[in-house]
Amino acid sequence: MSVALSRRLIHVVALLVFLVPGSFALAEVVNVYSARHYDVDQMLYDAFTEETGIEVQVLEGSSDQLVERIRREGMASPADVLVTVDAGRLWRAEDAGILQPVDSEFLNDRIPAYLRHPEGLWFGLSQRVRVIYYSPERFDPSLVSSYEDLTRPELEGRICIRSSNNIYNQSLMASIIEAHGAEAAEEWARGVVANMARSPEGGDTDQIRAVAAGECDVAVGNQYYYLRLVNSEDPADRAVAQQVSLIIPNQEGRGVHVNVGGAGVVAGAPNRENAVRFLEFLASDQAQELFANETYEFPVVDGVEKHPTLEALGEMKFDELGMDVLGRTNPEAVRVFDRAGWR
């Protein structure tokens, strides 16, 4: 048998061991089910393996698909770690009963309490903030200093924003419910709907492009989508970014809305110790710098060097509402959107 063929067979056997529920666990491996799809993720996996000798095997999919798969696989699941984005999705995994508590002194010391589950079911590992974009040529930024200002009559027919099905918007709504109550949050949602320039469509980058194209004057999106355009190798992307400015909202009040990319150890993890080591590595300075410099996400650890364009956003006040609260409020946020007619 040739060396090349032998290597292929080893690879196939390893893959089958990972993908087939109930199969035995490989030594020195951590099996990651990931709903993150960023280039930096492979860099993180490689760095972890180099530091620990533990191989990272990854199965990618949407968050809902992976949660359901782990739920179906039960205690026979090969999954050790679930990685996903947004507090609402972390809550869905928690609610499905597929995560187990982790008591790590390292994680508890490194990650602020509001960014992790109070019982250690999951940990926020990168932060993103939801900002307001505007056209500096067509819009007076003094009109808006908060999310609440998006209902002002001067903004009628001028706002682009994603649909209510979007988990990022659902978490923003959850934060508004927690700040003002469901009734006031519904009134806010109706005001934003009345000010929309078009029916909700597309992703966060599409909202920024719409402002640049003159389809609307104001939009809402996470900061890293804008920074991707700023740092793109494509001149057309950079040209879009040059036509848009941003507002960091609610700096005089509760702070800008924060969400996380995070992870938890799966309830039946066959490689639990390796899974915990993997989470601890993601909270290390090395990993946190990769988040901040490759995906333009805010680190969860203080003092980590950030990409210059992320640093250029300046100091800002974060809303330190617990991510677990955002998650628990997600079902109410969906109901509020539905009542307000936000599609």
Side-chain angles (χ1 to χ4, degrees):
M1 183 181 296
S2 70
V3 172
L5 180 57
S6 298
R7 287 175 176 169
R8 289 195 194 99
L9 287 173
I10 291 170
H11 176 75
V12 169
V13 169
L15 186 62
L16 287 173
V17 167
F18 175 47
L19 294 178
V20 177
S23 59
F24 61 89
L26 290 173
E28 296 309 307
V29 68
V30 61
N31 298 323
V32 176
Y33 281 24
S34 179
R36 278 179 62 100
H37 310 292
Y38 304 129
D39 292 341
V40 70
D41 295 348
Q42 188 59 53
M43 298 170 66
L44 290 164
Y45 305 149
D46 292 343
F48 174 72
T49 299
E50 182 177 355
E51 178 174 304
T52 65
I54 299 169
E55 180 184 358
V56 182
Q57 303 213 45
V58 184
L59 178 66
E60 292 189 345
S62 75
S63 187
D64 289 342
Q65 288 171 340
L66 295 175
V67 168
E68 178 58 20
R69 176 169 181 151
I70 294 170
R71 191 192 63 77
R72 290 198 319 266
E73 290 171 342
M75 296 305 288
S77 177
D80 295 308
V81 175
L82 174 70
V83 178
T84 190
V85 292
D86 197 276
R89 292 187 177 122
L90 289 164
W91 174 80
R92 290 174 187 174
E94 172 192 344
D95 190 56
I98 65 167
L99 302 177
Q100 63 171 290
V102 170
D103 185 12
S104 162
E105 183 177 351
F106 182 82
L107 291 171
N108 292 340
D109 286 346
R110 300 276 287 178
I111 302 173
Y114 76 98
L115 297 176
R116 51 184 164 84
H117 189 272
E119 297 175 5
L121 291 178
W122 47 258
F123 298 84
L125 298 163
S126 63
Q127 297 184 87
R128 56 277 304 273
V129 297
R130 205 141 180 81
V131 300
I132 297 171
Y133 298 102
Y134 69 95
S135 166
E137 293 185 356
R138 303 187 306 273
F139 186 76
D140 177 3
S142 68
L143 290 173
V144 174
S145 64
S146 68
Y147 302 110
E148 289 77 1
D149 287 339
L150 293 174
T151 65
R152 292 185 61 162
E154 295 93 335
L155 274 65
E156 183 178 0
R158 306 180 76 180
I159 296 176
C160 285
I161 193 166
R162 294 176 73 162
S163 79
S164 62
N165 291 330
N166 174 245
I167 194 72
Y168 302 154
N169 277 347
Q170 290 173 8
S171 288
L172 174 60
M173 172 58 77
S175 74
I176 292 172
I177 291 172
E178 291 299 321
H180 301 294
E183 184 176 342
E186 183 178 337
E187 182 179 351
W188 174 82
R190 291 183 185 278
V192 174
V193 170
N195 284 344
M196 288 181 184
R198 65 182 187 188
S199 297
E201 62 180 57
D204 279 17
T205 303
D206 296 310
Q207 314 312 313
I208 299 170
R209 293 187 186 279
V211 172
E215 296 176 36
C216 50
D217 297 332
V218 180
V220 177
N222 289 348
Q223 95 288 340
Y224 56 88
Y225 290 99
Y226 170 74
L227 295 181
R228 287 179 189 173
L229 295 173
V230 169
N231 294 291
S232 174
E233 296 180 358
D234 186 344
D237 286 343
R238 296 197 300 274
V240 167
Q242 289 169 2
Q243 298 176 70
V244 178
S245 296
L246 59 83
I247 295 164
I248 309 297
N250 294 77
Q251 292 303 283
E252 300 302 318
R254 65 186 180 276
V256 64
H257 170 64
V258 178
N259 216 306
V260 292
V265 175
V266 175
N271 304 288
R272 186 183 189 280
E273 183 177 340
N274 292 350
V276 174
R277 289 186 69 184
F278 180 68
L279 294 190
E280 291 176 341
F281 173 79
L282 294 180
S284 69
D285 283 356
Q286 180 182 1
Q288 289 291 301
E289 287 180 6
L290 283 172
F291 284 127
N293 285 280
E294 298 296 329
T295 56
Y296 317 112
E297 295 173 274
F298 288 96
V300 298
V301 175
D302 289 336
V304 172
E305 182 179 348
K306 298 189 284 289
H307 192 278
T309 53
L310 184 60
E311 192 76 61
L313 295 181
E315 293 294 322
M316 63 185 73
K317 181 180 180 181
F318 287 177
D319 182 356
E320 296 187 358
L321 177 66
M323 295 295 106
D324 60 310
V325 177
L326 288 180
R328 291 198 307 271
T329 310
N330 179 269
E332 179 64 14
V334 173
R335 290 191 291 269
V336 167
F337 273 134
D338 288 344
R339 293 196 299 268
W342 187 320
R343 302 306 177 204

